[in-house]
Amino acid sequence: GRGLWRTRGQYSMFFITEPFGKFLGVPEPAARYFLALIIAYIFALLYRLAFVNQSAKIQSLYFSLSGLWTLYFVFGTDIWHSLFDVVTVYALLALLGPSILTLSLTWIITMGHLLSGYVIVMLSNEVHPVCWTIPHCVLVLKLIGIAYNLYDGTKDQIELNEEQKETCISKLPSFFEVMGYSYHFGTVLAGPQFSFKRYQKFVSGKLFLWPASPGSFIAGVSRLCLGIGYASLYSILNRWYPLSYIISSEYDEKGFLEKLFIMIIIGKVALWRYIVVWLFAEGSCIMTGISYKLKKRNGSVDWSGVNNIHLLQFEAAFSLQGLVYAFNVNTNYWIKCYVYKRLKWLGNRQLSFVLSLLFISLWHGIWPGYLFNFSFEVIVLTAEKQLISVARHRLGIVMNELPWLLYLPIVVVLYLLMNVMLMYPVMMFMLLSWSACWKFMMSVYFFGHLAAGIWFILYYTILKPSHTKQY
């Protein structure tokens, strides 16, 4: 129950968080988490007023203390989990230096600690509890990233790819810098991920000139307003279509097409929960200026450097690949740079891709629903590439070359098809447990697996263009 995750510190401001949770229609721990995302804007304003021109050490100290307070407010004394990993990994890097051994130990310690937390969560039989593993999975990527950055710094530049050249570190940073990076109040709860090199440039004043920053306040508030808008929609629609409805007897009695329609709505609403959190986190990061991307020719500044969600692209995407590029952007980029490309030695892109998705599944948790979701994502992405190949080589259809009278109806059909095939695994991502996932799949007659199976049979027996390469 709720008390399992209660520790000292999580009862502070209970008189505010309890009614706040009832207003939002979420449990009190989730309301506390959400309130912490709002408090980050106070920290951002204080940073702008008092710390922006301070030394890198003072700024890092401020980020460390504000981030630690945030974790204590939401998770109480469970902040020891993150402190243990930060101190241990830094000690390894300081004592052993960057090496394959240090990298391996960093992976084992951080992922081992995280997976042990997931085991405890799973044994508690609570689905999506607000506990210390939520911010810890973000921290794990940060610490592994630092270990890789230092290791890359020992190599000759000719051995590195472009991303590695951009993020490599030539010497061990100070403990204050690592603490500030790990506990930056804008990213400590849910990301977004960004490289340690970006953080170093930011606190040293090399990322951009501060006089260009006033626009970041307006950009941050804009992101906050978008977050409030999505939070309002989520609060309303989640009351009408809660996740539990998808495995209810009432849902089971609906017609097949109606089930699909409801599945898409519930899936969209469920994903909005993540979008709300990211928008709020991005806004506070933008206010501090760490999200700086570039200065445009017209003099305006692009503050989307750490954005984790590209809203327009996400909502309008009619392909799964397009949606992947728009959703959880920085985590996907981290996986690409630190897992997928590091598996180049395997000599097999498909195997590297599968192993990357296996990692991201374990990183999310050890519930069966995560494995179902990401394994099915491999299936859908593969089928989508095959469909594009068939359309181009068998039917001569190139989307960008179609007249709009044909383009629009095809896009509508693809949009519906993509959402149906996407929300099928998303339901399992949300339901998590084997029993809930099985009940849902039975309710919709395993249509996702059947559709994929039929497609692959047709593709490999009839439709496959003879001159296209395998994916």
Side-chain angles (χ1 to χ4, degrees):
R2 184 176 66 181
L4 176 65
W5 307 109
R6 287 283 180 199
T7 67
R8 183 187 293 251
Q10 288 177 284
Y11 289 105
S12 60
M13 296 180 69
F14 192 80
F15 66 96
I16 295 177
T17 55
E18 181 74 9
F20 187 48
K22 291 179 179 178
F23 172 74
L24 294 176
V26 299
E28 189 276 336
R32 180 177 293 272
Y33 182 91
F34 189 71
L35 183 59
L37 290 170
I38 297 174
I39 293 174
Y41 285 83
I42 299 176
F43 287 136
L45 289 173
L46 183 58
Y47 171 79
R48 292 174 67 95
L49 292 172
F51 293 95
V52 69
N53 292 317
Q54 299 295 327
S55 66
K57 184 176 181 179
I58 295 298
Q59 291 183 61
S60 293
L61 182 61
Y62 175 71
F63 290 135
S64 301
L65 294 176
S66 55
L68 284 168
W69 181 91
T70 299
L71 289 183
Y72 183 75
F73 173 68
V74 182
F75 305 106
T77 53
D78 277 342
I79 60 172
W80 76 265
H81 292 282
S82 64
L83 283 169
F84 173 83
D85 276 21
V86 172
V87 172
T88 303
V89 169
Y90 189 83
L92 280 174
L93 294 171
L95 295 173
L96 302 180
S99 64
I100 292 294
L101 175 61
T102 311
L103 264 176
S104 302
L105 290 174
T106 300
W107 271 95
I108 292 169
I109 291 169
T110 56
M111 281 300 295
H113 192 170
L114 180 64
L115 291 175
S116 69
Y118 286 151
V119 170
I120 296 171
V121 171
M122 194 172 182
L123 292 176
S124 74
N125 290 320
E126 288 193 64
V127 178
H128 297 296
V130 179
C131 63
W132 64 269
T133 57
I134 295 176
H136 203 81
C137 66
V138 177
L139 177 66
V140 165
L141 301 191
K142 289 181 177 181
L143 295 177
I144 292 175
I146 290 175
Y148 268 121
N149 299 156
L150 281 166
Y151 179 67
D152 291 340
T154 65
K155 297 180 179 180
D156 196 310
Q157 286 286 302
I158 199 171
E159 300 180 59
L160 306 178
N161 60 36
E162 291 305 312
E163 290 94 349
Q164 292 166 356
K165 290 177 182 177
E166 180 66 26
T167 59
C168 68
I169 306 170
S170 58
K171 66 177 183 178
L172 181 70
S174 71
F175 182 66
F176 284 104
E177 285 181 302
V178 173
M179 283 286 289
Y181 173 66
S182 301
Y183 292 107
H184 185 284
F185 57 79
T187 67
V188 71
L189 290 175
Q193 290 288 334
F194 51 79
S195 70
F196 182 77
K197 197 70 167 287
R198 169 179 282 269
Y199 177 80
Q200 275 192 321
K201 289 181 179 178
F202 174 66
V203 294
S204 64
K206 296 177 181 178
L207 184 62
F208 68 96
L209 296 176
W210 183 249
S213 71
S216 67
F217 179 82
I218 298 173
V221 171
S222 298
R223 216 63 180 168
L224 172 63
C225 291
L226 281 172
I228 292 172
Y230 268 88
S232 301
L233 287 172
Y234 172 81
S235 180
I236 294 169
L237 291 177
N238 190 54
R239 296 174 192 268
W240 294 344
Y241 296 101
L243 180 62
S244 57
Y245 185 75
I246 207 78
I247 52 174
S248 67
S249 56
E250 184 179 346
Y251 178 81
D252 203 39
E253 293 169 359
K254 301 287 185 181
F256 180 64
L257 291 179
E258 188 176 0
K259 284 180 179 179
L260 295 185
F261 178 73
I262 293 172
M263 178 192 71
I264 291 174
I265 294 176
I266 292 177
K268 280 282 189 182
V269 172
L271 291 177
W272 284 351
R273 178 175 61 187
Y274 294 91
I275 291 175
V276 168
V277 171
W278 292 335
L279 287 174
F280 271 75
E282 288 168 17
S284 59
C285 287
I286 291 171
M287 277 194 178
T288 64
I290 201 167
S291 62
Y292 177 86
K293 187 174 183 179
L294 56 86
K295 190 170 184 178
K296 301 176 183 178
R297 290 182 178 180
N298 62 7
S300 64
V301 176
D302 184 348
W303 296 103
S304 65
V306 301
N307 283 8
N308 209 31
I309 178 73
H310 301 319
L311 281 177
L312 184 60
Q313 186 179 346
F314 171 78
E315 297 294 357
F318 55 86
S319 70
L320 184 59
Q321 190 63 65
L323 189 140
V324 167
Y325 287 144
F327 188 82
N328 207 0
V329 175
N330 295 298
T331 302
N332 290 335
Y333 184 73
W334 192 98
I335 299 297
K336 173 187 172 183
C337 294
Y338 295 103
V339 181
Y340 177 74
K341 288 192 173 183
R342 306 274 175 169
L343 294 173
K344 186 178 180 180
W345 57 271
L346 291 173
N348 187 309
R349 289 186 177 184
Q350 187 67 17
L351 180 57
S352 298
F353 179 63
V354 171
L355 290 176
S356 298
L357 285 181
L358 178 61
F359 165 74
I360 200 170
S361 174
L362 283 174
W363 178 73
H364 277 90
I366 58 176
W367 286 97
Y370 290 128
L371 187 58
F372 284 154
N373 173 76
F374 289 106
S375 60
F376 201 81
E377 183 178 321
V378 176
I379 293 172
V380 176
L381 283 170
T382 302
E384 185 175 87
K385 290 178 180 178
Q386 293 170 348
L387 177 61
I388 293 171
S389 176
V390 169
R392 178 184 292 270
H393 298 288
R394 286 283 189 184
L395 305 177
I397 296 175
V398 180
M399 289 295 294
N400 293 336
E401 297 176 3
L402 290 174
W404 68 272
L405 284 175
L406 285 176
Y407 181 85
L408 287 179
I410 291 177
V411 164
V412 171
V413 171
L414 290 176
Y415 181 82
L416 292 173
L417 179 62
M418 185 273 292
N419 274 283
V420 167
M421 294 304 292
L422 170 69
M423 296 310 168
Y424 182 73
V426 164
M427 287 300 100
M428 293 180 267
F429 182 91
M430 297 298 173
L431 293 170
L432 295 183
S433 70
W434 166 257
S435 58
C437 291
W438 183 261
K439 186 173 182 179
F440 162 70
M441 288 188 289
M442 286 188 64
S443 180
V444 293
Y445 318 113
F446 298 90
F447 83 87
H449 289 84
L450 289 174
I454 292 170
W455 167 258
F456 287 130
I457 291 172
L458 290 175
Y459 180 78
Y460 287 109
T461 58
I462 302 173
L463 300 174
K464 180 182 176 182
S466 59
H467 59 284
T468 57
K469 66 179 182 179
Q470 289 283 341
Y471 287 98

